[in-house]
Amino acid sequence: MSALTDTARDIARGKLEAVLPRRWSHVQAVAAKARSVAAAVPDEDRDVLVAAAWLHDVGYSPDLVDTGFHSLDGGRWLRRQRFDDRIAALVAHHSCAWLEAEERGLDAALADEFPREESAVADALCFSDMTTGPDGQDFEVLERLAEIRSRYGPDHLVTRFIIRAEPAMVAAVQRTQSRLSGRVPQPM
Ligand SMILES: [Fe+2]
């Protein structure tokens, strides 16, 4: 696509492919999904969307784990690398990370360090992540949320997060679908 998306892909590959091959399968499919829904964002934002999709889970790489909260760790690491600030912030907040941050006691840190973008790009990134399974398969959003709950189990904080985030995630998916179909999105 562009130098930005190629760089993002190469960074993600370097951090994930060898050490977390299943996560890498998911990430490749999320990036492909983001490309496929790029019409849901303004032309000038399409590369930003796809680059953020490549990098959204880079914080799972054992090399960069710090707090153990992958969204914040990924955003911080991208910022330290002097990667694009907007993309670092999209990664830090991706897929309702602000609600997971509350479960982890990291909500103040996340909010202080990264502005939260509420936009078609943030929605399309959430769509791409939440309609793609752990092996890269296509899922409906509710199927994906059920898969996450069963993978982590009932007592895990990720499960508590996913239950709280469901309405916001479903709304982001629906807004993206509305934009793709040319309907005017409902007010947020
Ligand atoms: Fe993901």
Side-chain angles (χ1 to χ4, degrees):
M1 298 244 316
S2 71
L4 179 69
T5 57
D6 286 352
T7 302
R9 179 200 59 212
D10 292 347
I11 292 170
R13 174 182 284 136
K15 291 291 169 195
L16 298 172
E17 184 176 28
V19 283
L20 295 172
R22 192 180 191 211
R23 184 66 58 180
W24 175 238
S25 298
H26 165 78
V27 164
Q28 290 176 87
V30 172
K33 183 78 62 87
R35 269 197 301 275
S36 78
V37 300
V41 308
D43 286 356
E44 63 274 19
D45 286 345
R46 289 181 183 169
D47 286 346
V48 170
L49 168 64
V50 174
W54 278 117
L55 291 165
H56 80 283
D57 277 350
V58 76
Y60 282 114
S61 175
D63 280 4
L64 28 143
V65 172
D66 172 20
T67 66
F69 177 30
H70 80 282
S71 307
L72 181 61
D73 289 351
R76 282 176 169 174
W77 181 79
L78 289 166
R79 182 169 278 170
R80 285 200 302 277
Q81 303 302 304
R82 304 193 185 288
F83 203 78
D84 181 276
D85 274 346
R86 184 180 176 196
I87 292 172
L90 282 164
V91 167
H93 283 285
H94 82 268
S95 301
C96 299
W98 56 95
L99 292 173
E100 183 170 348
E102 288 179 15
E103 296 289 338
R104 294 177 179 273
L106 290 166
D107 46 320
L110 179 64
D112 285 351
E113 293 176 36
F114 295 97
R116 168 148 65 104
E117 174 175 330
E118 295 182 74
S119 68
V121 173
D123 286 346
L125 182 59
C126 185
F127 175 97
S128 302
D129 192 18
M130 287 299 134
T131 63
T132 304
D135 298 299
Q137 65 274 54
D138 277 328
F139 272 156
E140 296 295 327
V141 58
L142 294 179
E143 215 179 357
R144 166 76 158 136
L145 294 170
E147 177 275 318
I148 297 170
R149 289 197 301 271
S150 74
R151 183 152 41 95
Y152 285 92
D155 300 324
H156 199 280
L157 75 84
V158 169
T159 299
R160 292 198 300 274
F161 151 61
I162 284 293
I163 290 168
R164 288 181 60 205
E166 180 172 316
M169 287 177 168
V170 169
V173 167
Q174 289 175 342
R175 285 193 296 272
T176 301
Q177 290 166 330
S178 295
R179 292 182 183 113
L180 287 170
S181 68
R183 292 194 303 273
V184 177
Q186 295 304 303
M188 290 166 73

